[in-house]
Amino acid sequence: MLLFFTLGLLVHFVFFASIFDIYFTSPLVHGMTPQFTPLPPPARRLVLFVADGLRADSLYELDENGNSRAPFIRSIIMHEGSWGISHTRVPTESRPGHVAMIAGFYEDVSAVAKGWKENPVEFDSLFNESKYTWSWGSPDILPMFAKGASGDHVYTYSYDAEREDFGADDATKLDTWVFDKVKDFFHAARNNQSLFSKVNEEKVVFFLHLLGLDTNGHAHRPSSREYKDNIKIVDDRVKEIVSMFQHFYGNDGKTAFIFTSDHGMTDWGSHGAGHPSETLTPLVTWGAGIKYPQKVSADIAPLMASLIGVPFPLNSVGILPVEYLNNTDLFKAESMFTNAVQILEQFKVKMTQKKEATLPFLFTPFKLLSDSKQVDILRKARLYIKQGKFDEAVSLCTELIHLALKGLSYYHTYDRFFLGISVAIGFVGWTSYVSLLIIKSHSNLTRSISKEVKVAIGIQSPRNYYVYCLLPVPIWYAVLKEFQVIQDLVASLLTFPLSHFVGHLLICTLGIEVLVLSFFYRYMLTAGLVIFAGWPFLTQLWTRAKVTSLSWTFFSLLLAVFPLMPVVGRKPDLSLVMSAGLLVLLLSLFVITSLIKRKNSFIKEELLVHLLQMLSTVLSMYVVYSTHNSLLKKQGLPLMNQVVSWAILASSLVVPLLSSPVLFQRLVSILLSLMSTYLLLSTGYEALFPLVLSCLMFIWIHMEQETLQQSGVCYKQKLTSIQFSYNTDIIQFRHLCLDDIRRAFFLVFFLVTAFFGTGNIASINSFDLASVYCFLTVFSPFMMGSLMMWKILIPFVLVMCAFEASHFVFISQHFFFLVKDYGSWLDIGTSVLVCSLNLPLEKIFCDF
């Protein structure tokens, strides 16, 4: 038993790890030679303004009076520079957005494990290639470019992280701090000869990271007065800084300016996904080397490198926008040629790495860009430049860049198909093996015991690829060892009438498809729950337990409403949160009343526990209401509210253990404790969701009792007499039947409903930061993410508690494992989360 449990954990760990090795590997390569244009650059210095969280429409559109919110930037657009729309990629977060701008590639997804702050993989950047870079702004952004730089030439000046407070009275102070520090810096440079000589060098970058707009957008929404006023303040201060630069450098015309944003923001104040409001950001450039007004799109990293004459960042995959450059055609052609060689270098290194790691007779090169074609294109491009055919040279270099980028993608995903097939074969084999063990142990089929399979995998290479490729071998060997069981299973299935077999197969297929589609279309959960509502009327349950059947139908239909509600974009509605709190209090009063009536089983300690839980609910309601009003008045999060919130969260994990071990009382106690925390994390209708879900779970337990009694498996037993800690060897009760598949499907469906009932957990922008404001308002990605994750887990915990209670009336744990395995074929992001949450389900393994 222990051996199988350990083996199960190991296999699941391997399958889970394969997700990251197949899909989430770093695309970066190292070992390239720096490439730069041999001609003198148009600018000696570059000033980069990044207004974090600024939407393109918010900057470009006119206000209600027909005036621009950013008159200085608009005057640049009209008279001095080039402008356009910058298209960011998902995830639309600050770190990947800045990496794309400053390093020229799309962020390695493994960075999310470090909160987008630290560098999981070292990369080159414009700052590293510059002679000197000075940067001011958020401590979440600046350090990652300083840590990745070689030498001591990237200087950062950051404010304290505590300033990033979503409950602060004025988030524009984050931006004014940056502008003031820049002015102080240049004032100090006039009196410091060493610093003065550095800032007058060529190939110098000044980076101003402005976080105020992002903070105001999260706290007040992009349509708020605070957000729009922040745009005006940024515009005014940018004008001051530009004037200061021109005065400091004596209007030498050697300064290039770029104003842009790392990502946008939705109407409800979130970002992370791919909505146009998140991906469309403004881009305005002017100064040395920039053409006069025109509207084009651009990759920013190669543009900045070209303007100041530094090598293109080694990992950059951006294409130089020659349309922006106000320079000779020779300079444009040479710069484009350099850009092409720089990206081609990455392609060559990637190809070499993959070729060295693959057996020669198995290696398949990228046919569209052979060695001879590379040489031919480069030779032709150089010839065109010598002949003065600059447009043809630029066109040819652009073609080479596109081919090299396709080749990079080809080699990055080179092993994906093979590894995916290997993991799939192993996964199907493991599912088949567990199914055979269940059938052998819990059916009337043969119980011949096969020899114990002990397999040791010898791996000479530490690479995980060997594990994924070799793991299916012992798994399928174990499956074939159960050949007698497979024979008996096939013989048993052949005894079924063909119409019954096809009917059951179609129903199972339809159920699985509904589960699969519900991961992508939440309304499929509504469809499933509506079908569930009619279940009692399709069986004899309606005649045996009418009240229970009607209750099941009512709460199934009520729960079916939640997936139809909007995931995001809703405004906070405290009245719904307060209503949920009142319903919890009414439920508590009902439980206390019912317990008092049963004087023999009721003791004072139990009453004290319930009163404590009622007090927690009242405090949660007060904290939510008080915190909301305090933030509206811009008075921040009250310290007392914060202390009470954390105390309620901690107590909710302990108080249920003090309740009676009687099944019904323990389940109610868990619900009441978790609801106190859930209220603190709610902003609207979702506060009602766990309550409705739990009511349906209580009724489900009763329904399964009725079902088992109807089939003659067991006698009906009151839930008030069952001990939660009671352990029963249910293997001795009965064999598996077709009804167990239905029970297993119900469980999996309720788990999916618990996750997706009020939002898509795989989408970053489904979360509203306002949900955690009762606990903290200072930006802390890990803490805020943990609280949001706990909010998502609470409905899951409630379903699993009902599942544990149902352990006393049915044995769907076995089939739950099997049906859950199908979920891993869904979208990889959702599968990672679902798989990781289900790994600790020890009962699934222990029952074997």
Side-chain angles (χ1 to χ4, degrees), residues 117-252:
K117 289 185 178 182
E118 301 296 333
N119 295 349
V121 179
E122 294 301 327
F123 57 85
D124 192 24
S125 71
L126 176 79
F127 296 171
N128 186 44
E129 296 292 351
S130 68
K131 191 161 189 177
Y132 295 107
T133 292
W134 287 273
S135 55
W136 298 265
S138 169
D140 299 323
I141 298 299
L142 305 187
M144 65 180 177
F145 295 106
K147 292 179 180 178
S150 58
D152 185 21
H153 65 282
V154 178
Y155 306 99
T156 62
Y157 304 91
S158 304
Y159 39 73
D160 295 333
E162 289 73 19
R163 286 177 174 262
E164 299 177 13
D165 190 345
F166 298 109
D169 58 340
D170 186 11
T172 60
K173 292 180 179 178
L174 298 175
D175 296 340
T176 56
W177 183 94
V178 171
F179 291 119
D180 291 340
K181 291 299 180 181
V182 173
K183 293 174 68 175
D184 293 342
F185 171 81
F186 278 94
H187 179 73
R190 293 184 180 276
N191 303 316
N192 186 322
Q193 186 58 41
S194 174
L195 181 58
F196 184 82
S197 61
K198 287 182 179 181
V199 297
N200 277 282
E201 293 278 1
E202 60 180 12
K203 302 179 180 180
V204 172
V205 177
F206 301 95
F207 173 42
L208 285 71
H209 176 244
L210 311 172
L211 190 62
L213 283 163
D214 185 75
T215 306
N216 270 321
H218 284 305
H220 306 290
R221 309 296 188 261
S223 60
S224 65
R225 177 182 56 83
E226 291 82 359
Y227 186 86
K228 294 176 181 178
D229 288 347
N230 202 155
I231 295 177
K232 180 67 169 65
I233 292 174
V234 167
D235 182 72
D236 290 339
R237 300 305 296 270
V238 167
K239 180 180 180 180
E240 290 182 18
I241 295 298
V242 171
S243 177
M244 182 199 69
F245 267 90
Q246 292 174 344
H247 183 261
F248 185 88
Y249 289 105
N251 293 307
D252 63 354

Side-chain angles (χ1 to χ4, degrees), residues 15 203 235 306 328:
F15 289 151
K203 302 179 180 180
D235 182 72
S306 177
T328 64

